[in-house]
Amino acid sequence: MADEEKEITKETPQEPTRGDDVVTPEEEAFDETEEGVEIEEVVEPLPIEEKVIHINRVAKVIKGGRKFGFTALVTVGNRNGMVGLGYGKANDVQGAIKKGVDQANKNMVEIPLLNDTLVYEMTYKYGAAKIFMKPASKGTGVIAGGPMRAILETAGVKNVLAKSIGSKNHINVARATFEALKSMRWPEEIMEKRKRTVENYN
């Protein structure tokens, strides 16, 4: 045998060049998602608007004199069918408003709206306060005053005819309006309970 040294060459695997036939793991995962799974859109909730209806100063007689405090009547809503009402009491105005907002957020309810107005007219009585609300055509606006206007606007009602008939007390009028909106139901729900349909209702 000849003293010839054979060189052993070790072939290293070459990386495939980037071409049309090469699919990366990221692209493969994207194709699977595109073919089989629909990507859901994330809908951000509407911002909650706060509106102070009335602030009142109250006094409590104690041994050393009188202790003053404040009460705040507050309504919150997203102007799209969600509304709440709260009443807070504290030694300062900001504290009373904060407590009222917290209570209103806890009491928030969803009301039925049709074309930015109410689904039917309603008369509601709360204590000595009596209110009347009626749907209105587009362009009418919110024809209401005081607490009723604030609650209807935060609820998202844009066209309505409303009137406070009884007591003018802010708390009673506000609670009458809120309870009236809270008790509203879609006509289909009412007819379902009566085992009737909207078409044959007379």
Side-chain angles (χ1 to χ4, degrees):
M1 294 180 62
D3 297 337
E4 295 180 356
E5 296 182 356
K6 297 181 179 180
E7 295 181 357
I8 302 175
T9 59
K10 187 177 180 181
E11 297 182 358
T12 57
Q14 297 180 355
E15 295 184 359
T17 58
R18 179 66 177 172
D20 297 336
D21 56 342
V22 179
V23 180
T24 61
E26 292 80 4
E27 292 177 343
E28 186 177 355
F30 178 78
D31 292 340
E32 291 178 359
T33 305
E34 188 177 19
E35 292 177 1
V37 182
E38 293 183 0
I39 300 175
E40 297 182 358
E41 287 188 19
V42 179
V43 180
E44 295 184 0
L46 295 174
I48 301 299
E49 180 181 340
E50 305 169 1
K51 187 172 287 189
V52 179
I53 299 175
H54 184 67
I55 295 177
N56 188 32
R57 192 182 75 167
V58 295
K60 180 181 179 181
V61 179
I62 58 176
K63 186 176 180 180
R66 287 188 298 175
K67 183 180 179 181
F68 292 97
F70 296 90
T71 63
L73 187 64
V74 185
T75 178
V76 299
N78 64 352
R79 290 185 176 267
N80 193 29
M82 296 290 293
V83 65
L85 182 68
Y87 185 71
K89 294 184 286 185
N91 294 330
D92 58 310
V93 177
Q94 295 299 327
I97 294 175
K98 185 178 183 301
K99 288 183 179 180
V101 170
D102 293 341
Q103 189 182 76
N105 287 323
K106 293 179 182 178
N107 299 334
M108 191 175 293
V109 296
E110 186 175 0
I111 64 172
L113 295 178
L114 183 63
N115 297 328
D116 297 330
T117 187
L118 305 178
V119 291
Y120 51 83
E121 65 179 56
M122 171 177 282
T123 302
Y124 197 91
K125 193 173 187 300
Y126 184 92
K130 185 178 180 182
I131 60 145
F132 171 77
M133 297 184 296
K134 183 178 180 180
S137 59
K138 187 176 181 180
T140 304
V142 180
I143 309 300
M148 294 185 69
R149 184 182 187 88
I151 295 174
L152 290 169
E153 286 180 347
T154 53
V157 182
K158 298 179 181 178
N159 303 293
V160 66
L161 300 171
K163 179 68 177 176
S164 174
I165 303 172
S167 172
K168 303 300 180 184
N169 181 275
H170 290 83
I171 299 174
N172 286 342
V173 174
R175 287 181 175 170
T177 307
F178 178 70
E179 293 297 330
L181 295 174
K182 185 179 177 181
S183 64
M184 278 191 170
R185 296 292 182 269
W186 287 103
E188 291 78 10
E189 295 180 16
I190 300 174
M191 293 300 103
E192 185 178 353
K193 289 184 178 179
R194 297 179 182 178
K195 297 181 180 180
R196 303 185 65 176
T197 59
V198 180
E199 288 77 12
N200 61 11
Y201 180 75
N202 295 321

